[in-house]
Amino acid sequence: MSAIAAGADRTAAGADRPAHRDPNVLRWLGAYGSSMIGDSVYFIALSWAAARSGSAAQAGLVLAISAVPRALLMLYGGVIADRLGPRRVVIASDAVRFAVILVAAGLLVTAHPGIWLLAVIALVFGAVDAVFMPAVGALPPRITGPAQLARVQGLRGLAGRIALVTGGPLGGFAVAVGGSAAAFAVAAALFGVSLVLLIAVRVRKLTPDDGTGVEGAGPQKGQLRAGLRYIRRHRVLFPLIIAMGVTELGFSGPANIGLVLLAEERGWGASGMGLAISAFGVGAGAASLLLAVRGRLPRAGLLRSVGEIFGAVALAAIAFAPSAPVAAVACLFVGLLGGMCGALSGALVQTQSDPAYIGRVTSVYMLLALGIAPLCYPVVGAAIGVWGTRPVFVASACLILVGSAIGLSSKALRKAELPDASGAPAAGSSPAPGTPAADAGANAQAEPRQPLVAP
């Protein structure tokens, strides 16, 4: 038996294991966690270097500039992930990040680069992120079975929380010891660890629902339009992504800038703000742990929409809390419900998407969450300055309720299920109208996808 065939067999066997006991999933999780911590350390290193090299306005420009290529190129990043395969794209992205940050560390040791060089580094990093994010979101269905995807989302959420808690102090310590050069070197080392683990991850090749090839299929021209058309015609994905995008718009502003301004308005100080943010993190971590342990929650489509209703109520309650501890309790519930709904949404995206389109589907959601939603930060800040926190938090909660209503109004999304332990396909996963599978009268349930090779 060839090494490739043996690797495919091992991946097939691993697909039946619980995700938290599968070495292949754990390697991917370690790579993802190391990369996330590296991102945090990189941001601190870049912030410090920019502040030391230019004015406050120039430093702010450097920190914001990476968002431009990320927003402009995110959709095309999904096309690249679908065309070349997410494993290749993720490995190449981490390799570029490793090389760029290592060069930045060397330049800071040997010279004093100007603000323009830091801007170039930020620009390159943002462009690479636009490719990396859709690809890393498309990997889980290729490294484990469908029944484990909710558990993988829970583990991924835990890794993100750990990265958030450890990345900041690690970056700050590196800057304190050796300046920006040391912090860049630490970030490069973390990207190097991620790269090594990603190379060791084995993937299975998926057969798309419409009978076409996945990686490299079809001419590149028009693939983005084809992906958008696929989403628009899908009975579950279209309302799901619209609902997720609207909910993210309602949640992002209060969770990021709103809590800071609320603590300032009420005189809670930095300690009160920290308590509220920590409570939110604990709640989100608990939701991730719940999914990692249980692996599946029934009625996923309905549960995520109903959970958003209670999450919206808890979000509005934060602004009416009489004290910081009471606000922290509300933040705990927001984190718990928001984390659960987010993980269920991610698992539904992966189980409902045809493998030929999963990179493009992921890129659309990433664009909404990371490209468009942050645009509401200045709007929320300005609105709080004019009307105060309570009306703005209530308005944001109402926007979340609109997202929940969009989800509840779709019968297909309400009935959507995650695959059970037997590997039965998710409910509602029918091919989009107009695809070869639909035209041929294919079954509304996607056939189980068998592992073929490990590239």
Side-chain angles (χ1 to χ4, degrees):
M1 180 182 295
S2 68
I4 291 180
D9 288 344
R10 287 193 297 270
T11 307
D16 297 329
R17 297 179 183 174
H20 61 286
R21 297 178 183 174
D22 185 351
N24 197 49
V25 173
L26 294 179
R27 284 192 293 270
W28 171 84
L29 188 67
Y32 175 76
S34 180
S35 179
M36 291 293 291
I37 297 173
D39 278 341
S40 297
V41 175
Y42 153 77
F43 186 79
I44 290 174
L46 184 68
S47 303
W48 185 260
R52 298 291 298 272
S53 301
S55 65
Q58 289 174 326
L61 179 62
V62 167
L63 297 181
I65 199 171
S66 63
V68 176
R70 185 185 299 126
L72 293 178
L73 302 176
M74 183 73 74
L75 294 180
Y76 291 97
V79 173
I80 293 172
D82 284 335
R83 184 168 182 81
L84 301 180
R87 181 175 181 269
R88 295 187 185 96
V89 173
V90 168
I91 290 175
S93 301
D94 252 4
V96 171
R97 295 201 292 184
F98 171 73
V100 168
I101 303 307
L102 194 61
V103 168
L107 289 174
L108 286 170
V109 169
T110 59
H112 185 70
I115 198 76
W116 64 269
L117 181 59
L118 297 175
V120 170
I121 292 172
L123 198 65
V124 172
F125 209 86
V128 175
D129 266 355
V131 178
F132 174 84
M133 290 177 179
V136 79
L139 266 181
R142 290 167 165 84
I143 61 174
T144 190
Q148 297 300 317
L149 287 175
R151 183 170 276 134
V152 168
Q153 289 297 314
L155 292 171
R156 182 179 178 180
L158 281 176
R161 293 295 156 190
I162 293 172
L164 187 65
V165 171
T166 60
L170 179 60
F173 177 75
V175 168
V177 171
S180 297
F184 273 121
V186 171
L190 288 165
F191 291 135
V193 171
S194 175
L195 180 60
V196 171
L197 290 172
L198 284 171
I199 292 173
V201 170
R202 309 302 301 177
V203 300
R204 55 180 182 154
K205 193 169 184 179
L206 302 179
T207 303
D209 298 336
D210 63 5
T212 63
V214 178
E215 296 166 15
Q220 187 169 0
K221 183 180 179 180
Q223 285 191 348
L224 177 56
R225 290 194 300 272
L228 296 175
R229 186 167 57 249
Y230 169 78
I231 294 172
R232 180 172 57 84
R233 294 178 175 180
H234 200 286
R235 297 185 303 123
V236 174
L237 290 177
F238 182 67
L240 174 61
I241 289 178
I242 296 298
M244 290 163 68
V246 173
T247 299
E248 193 68 31
L249 283 173
F251 172 78
S252 293
N256 288 278
I257 188 66
L259 286 178
V260 177
L261 297 178
L262 177 65
E264 182 180 356
E265 179 183 277
R266 303 294 176 81
W268 294 341
S271 60
M273 179 187 68
L275 179 64
I277 294 174
S278 298
F280 169 78
V282 169
S288 298
L289 183 62
L290 171 66
L291 281 170
V293 171
R294 284 188 57 87
R296 180 182 182 272
L297 294 177
R299 306 295 296 274
L302 178 63
L303 183 61
R304 63 161 301 282
S305 296
V306 173
E308 286 175 350
I309 296 175
F310 290 99
V313 173
L315 182 71
I318 295 173
F320 293 87
S323 63
V326 176
V329 174
C331 286
L332 180 71
F333 281 99
V334 173
L336 180 64
L337 294 165
M340 179 193 70
C341 295
L344 289 175
S345 298
L348 284 170
V349 165
Q350 292 176 347
T351 54
Q352 294 287 334
S353 297
D354 186 306
Y357 295 95
I358 191 168
R360 281 163 284 182
V361 173
T362 304
S363 70
V364 171
Y365 168 65
M366 290 289 186
L367 177 64
L368 292 173
L370 301 177
I372 297 178
L375 297 177
C376 70
Y377 296 171
V379 176
V380 170
I384 289 176
V386 175
W387 294 297
T389 53
R390 287 182 177 177
V392 175
F393 269 69
V394 170
S396 298
C398 290
L399 194 56
I400 295 175
L401 291 176
V402 171
S404 175
I406 292 172
L408 290 173
S409 66
S410 169
K411 181 179 180 181
L413 180 54
R414 289 198 311 270
K415 290 191 170 184
E417 293 274 12
L418 296 175
D420 57 27
S422 66
S429 56
S430 62
T435 61
D439 293 340
N443 193 311
Q445 302 275 349
E447 294 183 1
R449 296 152 189 162
Q450 300 299 323
L452 301 178
V453 297

